């Protein structure tokens, strides 16, 4: 026999409201504006059909693209350099550009690869001296590359990435106007990357992209950064963080992004493809970020919203399962039905919202995986934090500074 009382009705209603509202406290639900270069006016109907609005609507008429220098700093990446350099040399660009490769002295494999491209007029090679000590050689290499650049705009890219389109450089450079001093280009992992790694990278990128559109840039988890050479030199490059071995993209954006001087490019034409990360690369990326974030401005503000989202996510499931267990033990079948329905609604809504956001960036992950992957984020982070605590902190710096 069913017994209906006010307490049961109120608690059941609360559970249903929670099931409807908590999935909305979610990075996948918040709109992330994507890039669009406007060449023709859109009608109101076309604008209404857009599910996510444009972050940058730039009119390209009467705008001349600037000449650009692209800087690579390989370290034991001879094979990647050989594969991907032609894709950069063959960019379709409406102005001049050069490719600068900064090579460590003694890296004979990389030098041999560059010799095979020596006839290319776009290539310029320089070397890191053996005498450099007590600073990040990666940051030193970038600094040497920027100083060697003959053009006012410089692109810093990772040698283990390749452009998705031959208009990659053109697409990034279309943002070099209206007071912009930094342009971040979207990066995604190539096909074959494990689904969870695709999911986690995109999940965390949603927060970064939201910060970009609200002019609160915190870091750059992507592998393409375009910036003004004079900005880098005027503010003394990596001064203040030279001893940290990694995090050059993060430190650049954190230091130089002010107000609305940063543009973000996320179209397929402006995307870099990163190779499938090995287990070692995946782990080191997380551990180095845990070290670097302690030295980035705005870390507290950046981490606040993700913490809230995870608390709401786990709290909702905890309350629903607790209500379901208690109602079964007390034979309160009305409450049991409400709990089960609330749980089902939560799962369906979170899968729908997550899948829609993943599709927006052409990430092919099954909808049902959204649920375990969302829950895994916090526990994976906890695992990385434990490993970071156990790591030797001298592994993250260049010592003695």
């Amino acid at each position: 026999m069913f017994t209906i009382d006010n307490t049961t009705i109120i608690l059941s209603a609360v559970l249903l409201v929670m099931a409807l509202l908590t999935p909305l406290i979610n990075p996948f639900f918040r709109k992330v504006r994507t890039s669009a270069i406007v060449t023709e006016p859109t009608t109101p109907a076309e604008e209404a059909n857009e599910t996510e609005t444009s972050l940058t609507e730039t009119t390209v008429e009467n705008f001349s693209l600037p000449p650009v220098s692209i800087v690579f700093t390989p370290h034991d990446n001879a094979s990647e350099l050989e594969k991907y350099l032609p894709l950069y040399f063959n960019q379709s660009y409406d102005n001049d550009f050069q490719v600068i490769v900064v090579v460590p002295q003694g890296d004979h494999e990389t030098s041999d690869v560059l010799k095979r491209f020596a006839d290319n007029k776009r290539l310029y090679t320089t070397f890191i001296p053996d005498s450099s000590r007590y600073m990040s050689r990666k940051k030193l290499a970038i600094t040497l590359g920027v100083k060697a650049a003959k053009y006012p705009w410089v692109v810093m890219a990772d040698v283990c990435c390749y452009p998705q389109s031959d208009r990659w450089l053109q697409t990034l450079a279309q943002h070099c106007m209206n007071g912009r001093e930094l342009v971040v280009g979207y990066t995604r992992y190539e096909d074959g990357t494990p689904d969870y790694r695709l999911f986690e990278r995109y999940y965390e990128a949603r927060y970064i992209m939201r910060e970009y559109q609200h002019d609160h840039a915190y870091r750059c988890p992507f592998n393409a950064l375009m910036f003004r050479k004079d900005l880098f030199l005027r503010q003394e490059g990596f001064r203040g963080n030279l001893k940290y071995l990694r995090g050059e993209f993060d430190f650049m954006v954190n230091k130089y992004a002010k107000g609305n001087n940063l543009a973000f490019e996320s179209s397929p034409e402006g995307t870099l493809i990163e190779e499938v990360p090995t287990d070692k690369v995946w782990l080191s990326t997380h551990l180095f970020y845990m070290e670097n974030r302690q030295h980035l401005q705005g870390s507290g503000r950046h981490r606040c919203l993700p913490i809230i989202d995870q608390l709401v996510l786990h709290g909702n499931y905890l309350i629903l399962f607790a209500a379901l267990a208690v109602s079964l033990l007390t034979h309160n079948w009305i409450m049991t039905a409400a709990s089960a329905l609330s749980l089902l609604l939560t799962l369906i809504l979170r899968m729908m919202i997550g899948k829609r956001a993943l599709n927006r960036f052409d990430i092919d992950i099954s909808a049902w995986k959204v649920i375990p992957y969302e829950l895994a984020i916090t526990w994976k982070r906890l695992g990385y934090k434990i490993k970071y605590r156990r790591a030797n902190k001298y592994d993250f710096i260049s010592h003695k500074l």
Side-chain angles (χ1 to χ4, degrees):
M1 180 177 180
F2 292 101
T3 300
I4 302 177
D5 54 61
N6 289 337
T7 301
T8 299
I9 293 173
I10 292 171
L11 291 177
S12 298
V14 168
L15 292 175
L16 289 169
V17 170
M18 282 178 52
L20 293 172
L21 294 183
T22 55
L24 308 184
I25 305 174
N26 181 344
F28 291 141
F29 181 75
R30 303 181 190 104
K31 284 187 177 181
V32 170
R33 296 174 183 174
T34 52
S35 303
I37 303 298
V38 178
T39 55
E40 297 179 1
T42 55
T43 66
E46 289 172 330
E47 291 178 353
N49 287 333
E50 288 295 320
T51 55
E52 298 189 15
T53 55
S54 168
L55 173 60
T56 50
E57 294 188 345
T58 310
T59 305
V60 300
E61 186 179 358
N62 300 323
F63 171 63
S64 178
L65 296 174
V68 174
S69 299
I70 307 173
V71 175
F72 293 107
T73 56
H75 180 70
D76 295 331
N77 299 115
S79 60
E80 290 85 357
L81 198 65
E82 186 169 22
K83 282 190 296 183
Y84 303 143
L85 263 185
L87 299 178
Y88 291 97
F89 287 142
N90 296 329
Q91 286 290 298
S92 175
Y93 191 64
D94 294 340
N95 207 329
D96 195 19
F97 70 94
Q98 65 173 158
V99 176
I100 300 171
V101 182
V102 187
V103 186
Q105 287 279 8
D107 187 346
H108 301 298
E109 285 189 55
T110 301
S111 297
D112 289 342
V113 168
L114 292 173
K115 287 176 183 177
R116 292 195 278 276
F117 294 102
D119 292 337
N120 194 301
K121 65 179 182 178
R122 298 195 186 280
L123 179 64
Y124 177 83
T125 303
T126 188
F127 297 88
I128 306 174
D130 285 331
S131 58
S132 59
R133 295 289 186 273
Y134 313 134
M135 63 180 67
S136 166
R137 290 176 65 81
K138 182 77 168 179
K139 294 185 176 72
L140 174 60
I142 292 168
T143 302
L144 293 174
V146 173
K147 289 182 176 180
K150 65 178 180 179
Y151 295 131
W153 281 89
V154 178
V155 179
M156 185 170 73
D158 194 302
V159 73
C160 293
C161 300
Y162 55 93
Q164 183 165 280
S165 161
D166 65 358
R167 293 180 59 81
W168 168 77
L169 185 59
Q170 178 108 348
T171 305
L172 290 185
Q174 286 174 340
H175 295 277
C176 298
M177 61 171 75
N178 300 332
R180 303 297 190 188
E181 296 180 296
L182 299 161
V183 182
V184 174
Y186 183 71
T187 307
R188 69 172 180 83
Y189 285 129
E190 67 181 354
D191 296 340
T193 301
D195 282 354
Y196 175 76
R197 295 182 181 180
L198 290 172
F199 181 91
E200 184 191 289
R201 181 170 191 165
Y202 179 61
Y203 182 92
E204 295 181 350
R206 298 282 298 195
Y207 293 104
I208 300 296
M209 292 187 282
R210 284 277 296 176
E211 289 171 339
Y212 288 166
Q213 74 188 49
H214 291 295
D215 298 331
H216 295 303
Y218 167 68
R219 61 180 290 240
C220 177
F222 310 108
N223 298 100
L225 177 62
M226 192 174 193
F227 54 91
R228 290 185 180 273
K229 177 180 177 177
D230 64 346
L231 173 70
F232 184 89
L233 298 178
R234 188 172 65 248
Q235 300 201 29
E236 300 180 285
F238 293 105
R239 184 178 179 85
N241 54 72
L242 269 172
K243 71 177 181 179
Y244 306 113
L245 293 177
R246 298 278 294 277
E248 48 279 352
F249 289 92
D250 287 344
F251 283 117
M252 283 279 291
V253 166
N254 191 261
K255 181 177 180 179
Y256 296 127
K258 307 294 180 185
N260 64 348
N261 74 335
L262 181 146
F264 177 60
E265 175 56 52
S266 60
S267 68
E269 292 80 10
T271 294
L272 279 187
I273 309 298
E274 184 175 353
E275 291 183 338
V276 176
T278 63
D279 292 342
K280 181 180 179 180
V281 168
W282 179 255
L283 178 60
S284 68
T285 298
H286 288 82
L287 297 187
F288 272 98
Y289 170 61
M290 289 191 169
E291 170 65 27
N292 294 336
R293 73 182 183 186
Q294 300 177 65
H295 316 290
L296 297 173
Q297 295 181 359
S299 289
R301 181 181 63 189
H302 168 74
R303 294 168 64 186
C304 182
L305 190 56
I307 289 172
I308 291 172
D309 288 343
Q310 284 293 314
L311 286 174
V312 170
L313 171 69
H314 284 79
N316 180 53
Y317 283 126
L318 182 62
I319 291 171
L320 290 179
F321 279 112
L324 185 60
V326 170
S327 65
L328 286 171
L329 291 173
T330 59
H331 305 292
N332 188 335
W333 307 122
I334 298 296
M335 182 72 74
T336 299
S339 301
L341 179 59
S342 298
L343 180 59
L344 183 61
L345 283 173
T346 293
L347 296 174
I348 291 173
L349 286 174
R350 297 199 78 96
M351 285 191 290
M352 289 176 59
I353 292 170
K355 182 60 176 175
R356 178 174 172 272
L358 291 164
N359 288 343
R360 180 71 177 174
F361 278 73
D362 295 322
I363 300 174
D364 186 18
I365 295 177
S366 300
W368 68 267
K369 292 183 179 180
V370 170
I371 303 302
Y373 287 174
E374 282 182 322
L375 290 167
I377 293 287
T378 289
W379 305 105
K380 293 279 189 180
R381 286 176 182 165
L382 179 60
Y384 301 139
K385 190 169 185 178
I386 292 171
K387 290 180 180 179
Y388 169 72
R389 294 291 186 188
R390 292 176 175 175
N392 185 338
K393 299 307 179 286
Y394 286 107
D395 290 340
F396 305 105
I397 62 175
S398 54
H399 311 279
K400 294 183 173 62
L401 258 185

